[in-house]
Amino acid sequence: HLRPLLSDTGANHAALLQHARSLKSASAEKTASTHDAALRSTLTTTILQCRQCRSPLSLVLIAISGEPAEPRDPLPELLRSRLRKTDLPGQSTLSVRPREFAVILPDGERRAALQWAGEILRELQHAVGECQLSMGVASIAHLPRNFGADTLINAARRCLDG
């Protein structure tokens, strides 16, 4: 008599957990979508400016993965601080997700963007602990008329996830 009640309670508990996970996932997707929209908007504006000036453009995506050693993860703030120190002309730094950043480098040639990303990786390597710092760099030298922000974002994301 008691066993069916426990299994029903277990099923209800599992259903509640699943519902809570789906709400959390939907909230995270909405937040990510908002941040992606901000990145897309800023990048679209920068693409137009670089096209007018006939200058190259680079996008660097930086992601922190793994569990932080401390409950309050200091790495995102350390990364933000480091990115502020190398504020290049026209550079835009955006938080894309809680542990992911995008850096838009107008007039950023591919080689210079890779060098810049490598310097940041080397400088922060000591601070990552059990975490991993990954970067994806996408660059374009000449921006064609119909070039969209998603093309550069997807290329950088493929490098990041690759």
Side-chain angles (χ1 to χ4, degrees), residues 75-149:
L75 195 51
E77 189 51 43
L78 184 64
L79 182 57
R80 275 187 206 95
S81 171
R82 174 58 183 90
L83 293 174
R84 278 191 293 267
K85 280 200 303 188
T86 58
D87 206 12
L88 302 170
Q91 172 185 325
S92 298
T93 303
L94 299 128
S95 181
V96 181
R97 291 182 176 85
R99 294 175 57 127
E100 187 175 302
F101 301 88
V103 182
I104 302 170
L105 300 169
D107 203 26
E109 293 180 349
R110 181 178 177 273
R111 184 173 297 172
L114 287 170
Q115 183 179 351
W116 179 85
E119 288 172 9
I120 289 179
L121 268 176
R122 280 188 296 282
E123 286 181 29
L124 294 180
Q125 208 58 38
H126 71 281
V128 296
E130 296 297 313
C131 296
Q132 181 178 351
L133 198 60
S134 304
M135 293 191 182
V137 179
S139 300
I140 185 160
H142 304 284
L143 290 150
R145 182 174 296 272
N146 294 325
F147 188 82

Side-chain angles (χ1 to χ4, degrees), residues 45-61:
T45 301
T46 307
I47 286 171
L48 294 173
Q49 293 167 348
C50 287
R51 186 180 303 129
Q52 282 181 330
C53 298
R54 298 177 195 257
S55 64
L57 173 64
S58 290
L59 172 66
V60 181
L61 292 180

